[in-house]
């Protein structure tokens, strides 16, 4: 039995490890970074910190924690994945949760860590590699027909498709349309809260019903375990044998009465069961040897 | 000399502008009176003194009027009270309180008679009944959700959820939740009497069986996994509740359990009570919305009691004679631990001096804690 339990527990542990392993790809680290918006031809759009109109690349941190992009590589040539190394140790390279970072593709790396050592004019692909320079985090194939001041990006943060965007939004969400909150959307369909009440009560009942079912059966298991095996059980007669849910107090009283009867320690006084003091000088009940522990020294 | 006297008078007048007397409004006076009532109820009537004293005194602190800009008030960045309030705003304190509650709760009654768990689910009707009424009164969905949780009768849960859904209403919601929890012995008995027949009130329930340590340990682990797998957004509360319970039931982490249910929960209770009280500054608290919140809170407690009692009556229709439950324990599904269970006991004894319902009522009572945390998780996942 013990071996079976051990095997069962090992199986569960293995299952958890497998599930955890398959979810590792979702771990919140540099792997959560992705390209979000790119402007190849910047004639009159946003300017960099030197006041120059230049091409830019926006990276989005899709994780719910801060990710440091320092140490990663940006490139426009998959044959040279370590083309631009993003310096480490700079607090500016930390991208906070669900936030954006813009790099200027002006081939002027001396202007700061956000200025890359390549242009986008002739680039066909841009890619982001992790600190090893070998693992690709994200890449984008750039189309050939770029229009001036029109950005190419994901319409929403979660989108996998890339399209030309109506409005350039460096360092901000590409989806600038007014959004309803989750609550507003919910109430639009359920203005009186009836749906919410039904769903929520169903979920609360489901959660607690599962607990109920498990504990109902677990209780049966433990009660069965607590009852001695058949061969060791005394023969019981009448209704007592059927009454499995007899309380502990009743069992204890019956056991005590049987013990007293068998040991002939009982006495009768006006038909009331009593425990009288034994008129002996010594009794284990009054002995200090049996009732006290030795004092610590 | 005259110049010097002018200087003194001018600065005295300037100083007077900084005193609470100069900045006092009628709202501050009203709120100070509310704080004093809380303290009176706590000391003279012993209504939830552990909560009402810190909250009542917090209300006094929060309503000493001051000139803004000196980093004094709870809403001023950088003030001491603001730092302490951070734990409320970010929902840090409620899970810590749940840790302590878990470490001091004995789930034996629930484990020995698992059908009592379902009463804890039925009583959550109060939350969603209040949600519907709040929507009808014109509260926004997030506000309605935050207000509705008052019906869960669980202070930490109410603070946790309102800090996420409607932080601006948190003070009023917390005060309403704790006030009505203190008033459970007043609110619930009339509803219980109204919904039950004299015969039902005399139902005797089987004594709970002895629960082994293994069962209690499994309960803590399985309870956490099952409830949070269904409602992961309840993880901060449910995770801490069951973790605290495991510390207690494992039997090998007595020191940790003692700390969780002793000094730690005391410290957090002081901080949460004081800062929630202080957040009720008259300028932000005395609004029509606050009045609406208090009215809705009372309704939610009544609906929750109704849900619990009626559920027991319905379940009794399907139970054999001898297995029936006394509907007077239905109110205990409202998770004001242990007040609502105590109400079951007191009302039960009114009709049969030997029918003690406390042990049975503790089952739905602790199930109510789990149920309200699950309900909070549902509201959070739909409305946040």
């Amino acid at each position: 039995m013990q071996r079976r339990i051990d095997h069962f527990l090992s199986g569960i542990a293995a299952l958890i490890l497998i599930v955890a392993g398959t979810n590792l790809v979702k771990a919140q680290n540099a792997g959560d970074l992705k390209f979000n918006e790119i402007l190849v031809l910047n004639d009159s759009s946003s300017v960099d910190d030197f006041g120059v109109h230049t091409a830019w690349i926006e990276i989005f941190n899709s994780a719910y924690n801060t990710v440091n992009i320092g140490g990663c590589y940006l490139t426009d040539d998959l044959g040279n994945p370590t083309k631009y190394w993003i310096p480490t140790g700079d607090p500016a390279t930390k991208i906070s949760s669900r936030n954006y970072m813009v790099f200027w593709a002006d081939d002027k790396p001396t202007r700061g860590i956000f200025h890359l050592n390549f242009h986008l004019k002739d680039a066909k692909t841009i890619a982001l590699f992790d600190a090893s320079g070998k693992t690709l985090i994200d890449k984008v194939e750039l189309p050939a027909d770029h229009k001036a001041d029109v950005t190419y990006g994901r319409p929403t943060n979660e989108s996998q498709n890339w399209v030309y965007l109506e409005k350039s939004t460096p360092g901000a969400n590409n989806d600038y349309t007014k959004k309803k909150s989750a609550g507003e959307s919910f109430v639009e369909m359920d203005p009186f809260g009836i749906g919410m009440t039904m769903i929520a009560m169903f979920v609360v009942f489901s959660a607690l019903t599962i607990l109920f079912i498990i504990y109902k059966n677990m209780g049966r298991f433990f009660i069965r375990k607590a009852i001695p095996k058949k061969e060791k059980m005394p023969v019981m007669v009448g209704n007592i044998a059927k009454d499995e849910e007899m309380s502990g107090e009743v069992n204890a009283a019956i056991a005590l009465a049987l013990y007293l009867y068998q040991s002939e320690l009982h006495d009768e006084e006006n038909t009331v069961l009593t425990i009288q003091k034994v008129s002996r000088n010594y009794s284990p009940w009054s002995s200090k040897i049996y009732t006290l522990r030795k004092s610590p020294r | 000399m005259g110049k010097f006297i002018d200087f003194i008078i001018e600065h005295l007048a300037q100083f007077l502008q900084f005193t609470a007397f100069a900045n006092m409004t009628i709202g501050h006076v009203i709120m100070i009176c509310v704080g004093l009532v809380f303290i009176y109820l706590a000391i003279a009537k012993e209504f939830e003194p552990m909560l009402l004293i810190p909250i009542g005194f917090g209300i006094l602190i929060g309503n000493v009027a001051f000139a803004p800009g000196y980093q004094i008030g709870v809403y001023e960045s950088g003030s001491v009270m603001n730092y302490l309030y951070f734990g409320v705003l970010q929902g840090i304190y409620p899970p810590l309180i749940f840790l302590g509650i878990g470490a001091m709760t004995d789930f034996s009654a629930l484990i020995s008679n698992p059908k009592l768990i379902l009463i804890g689910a039925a009583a959550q009707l109060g939350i969603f009944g209040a949600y519907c009424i709040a929507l009808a009164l014109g509260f926004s969905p997030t506000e309605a959700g935050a207000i509705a949780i008052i019906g869960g009768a669980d202070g930490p849960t109410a603070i946790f959820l309102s800090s996420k859904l409607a932080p601006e209403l948190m003070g009023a919601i917390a005060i309403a939740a704790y006030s009505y929890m203190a008033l459970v012995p007043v609110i619930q008995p009339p509803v219980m009497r109204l919904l039950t027949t004299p015969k039902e009130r005399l139902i005797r329930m089987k004594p709970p069986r002895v629960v082994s340590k293994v069962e209690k340990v499994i309960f803590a682990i399985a309870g956490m996994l099952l409830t949070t797998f269904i409602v992961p957004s309840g993880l901060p509360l449910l995770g801490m509740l069951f973790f605290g319970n495991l510390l207690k039931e494992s039997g090998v982490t007595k020191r940790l359990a003692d700390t969780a249910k002793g000094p730690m929960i005391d410290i957090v209770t002081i901080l949460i009570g004081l800062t929630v009280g202080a957040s009720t500054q008259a300028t932000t608290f005395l609004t029509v919305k606050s009045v609406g919140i208090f009215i809705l809170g009372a309704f939610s407690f009544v609906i929750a009691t109704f849900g619990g009692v009626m559920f027991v009556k319905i379940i009794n229709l399907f139970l054999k004679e001898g297995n029936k439950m006394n509907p007077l324990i239905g109110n205990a599904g409202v998770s004001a631990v242990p007040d609502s269970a105590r109400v079951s006991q007191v009302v039960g004894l009114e009709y049969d001096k030997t029918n003690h319902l406390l042990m049975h009522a503790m089952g739905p009572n602790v199930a109510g804690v789990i149920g309200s945390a699950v309900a909070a998780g549902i509201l959070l996942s739909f409305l946040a």
Side-chain angles (χ1 to χ4, degrees):
Chain A
M1 183 66 182
Q2 184 60 41
R3 190 182 277 180
R4 275 185 189 171
I5 292 171
D6 288 347
H7 284 159
F8 176 69
L9 292 174
S10 313
I12 288 178
L15 189 69
I16 291 168
L17 280 175
I18 291 165
V19 172
T22 53
N23 279 314
L24 277 179
V25 287
K26 292 179 183 173
Q28 297 182 339
N29 50 35
D32 291 304
L33 300 174
K34 54 187 187 180
F35 291 113
N36 199 47
E37 190 178 4
I38 294 159
L39 180 61
V40 176
L41 301 173
N42 186 352
D43 287 351
S44 57
S45 187
S46 40
V47 292
D48 66 8
D49 41 349
F50 285 82
V52 181
H53 293 287
T54 185
W56 49 263
I57 299 167
E58 181 191 74
I59 292 171
F60 171 55
N61 172 15
S62 64
Y64 286 87
N65 63 327
T66 300
V67 172
N68 195 340
I69 198 175
C72 295
Y73 296 91
L74 276 167
T75 183
D76 61 344
D77 178 6
L78 289 177
N80 181 13
T82 59
K83 191 165 187 179
Y84 180 75
W85 178 69
I86 303 166
T88 53
D90 194 319
T93 57
K94 287 179 182 170
I95 313 177
S96 54
S97 156
R98 312 289 291 172
N99 221 320
Y100 310 84
M101 184 170 278
V102 173
F103 287 89
W104 304 97
D106 53 1
D107 196 15
K108 289 191 173 64
T110 52
R111 289 191 167 180
I113 60 173
F114 297 111
H115 291 262
L116 307 176
N117 56 356
F118 55 85
H119 286 293
L120 293 183
K121 255 185 240 170
D122 304 319
K124 288 180 181 157
T125 306
I126 55 162
L128 176 68
F129 283 84
D130 75 352
S132 71
K134 291 172 184 165
T135 309
L136 179 70
I137 297 172
D138 193 19
K139 70 168 183 171
V140 183
E141 304 285 344
L142 297 176
D145 54 336
H146 277 288
K147 295 171 193 165
D149 300 327
V150 176
T151 55
Y152 184 60
R154 301 173 195 267
T156 63
N157 287 335
E158 284 73 31
S159 175
Q160 297 297 321
N161 301 325
W162 280 70
V163 294
Y164 285 108
L165 302 171
E166 288 178 12
K167 192 173 170 181
S168 82
T169 55
N173 195 335
N174 296 348
D175 185 9
Y176 49 85
T177 52
K178 194 188 171 195
K179 286 274 179 303
K180 281 177 191 159
S181 69
E184 283 168 342
S185 306
F186 199 97
V187 168
E188 205 172 73
M189 291 301 293
D190 177 34
F192 305 109
I194 307 292
M196 168 69 91
T197 306
M198 287 169 69
I199 295 170
M201 287 306 285
F202 172 74
V203 175
V204 174
F205 263 103
S206 304
L208 296 189
T209 302
I210 292 171
L211 274 183
F212 161 68
I213 292 166
I214 286 176
Y215 288 107
K216 180 93 181 155
N217 291 306
M218 197 176 79
R220 279 184 188 155
F221 171 76
F222 278 98
I223 289 169
R224 221 175 292 143
K225 213 178 160 193
I227 296 170
K229 284 182 181 170
K230 252 187 181 177
E231 58 266 26
K232 289 179 186 172
M233 271 177 74
V235 179
M236 298 172 85
V237 289
N239 292 331
I240 299 170
K242 291 174 189 170
D243 192 359
E244 287 182 356
E245 294 190 19
M246 202 182 289
S247 75
E249 287 92 337
V250 176
N251 284 329
I254 293 169
L256 177 67
L258 286 170
Y259 176 75
L260 291 175
Y261 178 76
Q262 284 174 347
S263 313
E264 295 184 345
L265 290 174
H266 66 289
D267 57 332
E268 280 187 351
E269 260 190 24
N270 300 329
T271 68
V272 175
L273 186 69
T274 63
I275 299 172
Q276 284 195 333
K277 188 181 176 186
V278 181
S279 56
R280 280 183 291 186
N281 292 334
Y282 172 78
S283 159
W285 293 103
S286 56
S287 168
K288 288 182 181 175
I289 298 168
Y290 294 106
T291 54
L292 289 177
R293 300 176 69 178
K294 281 184 181 178
S295 303
R297 290 181 183 175
Chain B
M1 187 64 185
K3 252 188 179 178
F4 182 71
I5 290 169
D6 286 347
F7 170 80
I8 296 288
I9 291 169
E10 189 186 320
H11 279 81
L12 268 176
Q14 194 182 339
F15 175 75
L16 279 174
Q17 291 304 307
F18 289 117
T19 65
F21 297 107
N23 295 290
M24 195 69 112
T25 64
I26 186 72
H28 289 106
V29 177
I30 292 170
M31 287 310 297
I32 286 174
C33 292
V34 172
L36 291 174
V37 169
F38 271 47
I39 293 170
Y40 168 77
L41 289 175
I43 296 172
K45 304 285 180 188
E46 292 192 23
F47 282 175
E48 296 273 358
M50 303 286 184
L51 295 167
L52 292 194
I53 292 262
I55 292 176
F57 204 80
I59 294 174
L60 300 187
I61 289 176
N63 285 283
V64 173
F66 56 86
Y70 291 88
Q71 295 188 330
I72 300 167
V74 73
Y75 293 114
E76 289 190 322
S77 298
S79 74
V80 173
M81 292 303 285
N82 185 258
Y83 278 115
L84 298 178
Y85 192 51
F86 180 81
V88 176
L89 272 181
Q90 296 302 314
I92 298 167
Y93 296 150
L96 292 177
I97 290 193
F98 260 60
L99 178 70
I101 292 172
M104 64 171 73
T105 302
D106 186 356
F107 285 101
S108 298
L110 197 66
I111 301 168
S112 71
N113 191 359
K115 57 179 177 280
L116 300 177
I117 294 176
L118 299 175
I119 304 174
Q124 305 316 315
L125 190 67
I127 295 177
F128 302 102
Y131 173 77
C132 295
I133 301 172
L135 281 181
L137 288 178
F139 284 97
S140 74
T142 47
E143 288 174 342
I147 294 166
I149 200 68
I150 297 172
D154 201 322
T157 308
I159 292 170
F160 179 78
L161 190 69
S162 55
S163 70
K164 307 282 178 197
L165 292 181
E168 68 284 357
L169 300 181
M170 188 170 49
I173 289 169
I175 298 289
Y178 282 121
S179 304
Y180 290 127
M181 278 164 67
L183 292 173
V184 154
V186 180
I187 298 171
Q188 289 194 324
V191 183
M192 293 158 70
R193 289 191 193 102
L194 187 73
L195 297 174
T196 52
T197 62
K199 193 184 166 193
E200 284 172 333
R201 292 174 207 145
L202 298 175
I203 292 175
R204 280 175 177 267
M205 295 173 67
K206 279 183 182 174
R209 69 177 173 84
V210 177
V211 175
S212 69
K213 181 184 163 184
V214 181
E215 284 179 90
K216 291 179 183 177
V217 169
I218 293 175
F219 179 83
I221 297 168
M224 193 283 282
L225 291 175
L226 288 172
T227 52
T228 56
F229 264 59
I230 294 170
V231 191
S233 42
L235 195 56
L237 297 174
L238 291 164
M240 291 301 242
L241 178 79
F242 286 113
F243 171 54
N245 193 245
L246 182 62
L247 291 180
K248 173 180 180 281
E249 301 301 354
S250 67
V252 290
T253 50
K254 190 175 176 300
R255 270 173 51 199
L256 301 185
D258 287 346
T259 304
K261 71 180 178 189
M264 202 195 73
I265 197 169
D266 290 347
I267 291 168
V268 182
T269 302
I270 290 169
L271 293 177
I272 203 169
L274 195 71
T275 49
V276 162
S279 71
T280 62
Q281 283 180 8
T283 43
T284 57
F285 187 81
L286 284 178
T287 61
V288 180
K289 274 188 178 175
S290 299
V291 178
I293 289 167
F294 270 81
I295 294 168
L296 280 169
F299 269 114
S300 66
F301 268 63
V302 171
I303 299 169
T305 309
F306 171 86
V309 175
M310 287 310 291
F311 179 76
V312 177
K313 283 169 70 95
I314 293 166
I315 286 289
N316 274 348
L317 297 175
F318 304 97
L319 294 176
K320 288 178 194 165
E321 203 62 46
N323 280 338
K324 287 190 189 297
M325 295 186 282
N326 191 317
L328 292 180
I329 66 166
N331 73 300
V334 174
S335 66
V337 182
D339 301 70
S340 51
R342 219 179 280 151
V343 169
S344 304
Q345 163 82 353
V346 171
V347 178
L349 287 180
E350 280 176 21
Y351 299 96
D352 182 351
K353 291 268 182 263
T354 58
N355 193 6
H356 295 278
L357 296 172
L358 187 65
M359 270 308 287
H360 305 292
M362 280 310 290
N365 211 189
V366 291
V369 177
I370 301 171
S372 59
V374 172
I378 296 166
L379 287 168
L380 199 58
S381 49
F382 282 140
L383 302 175

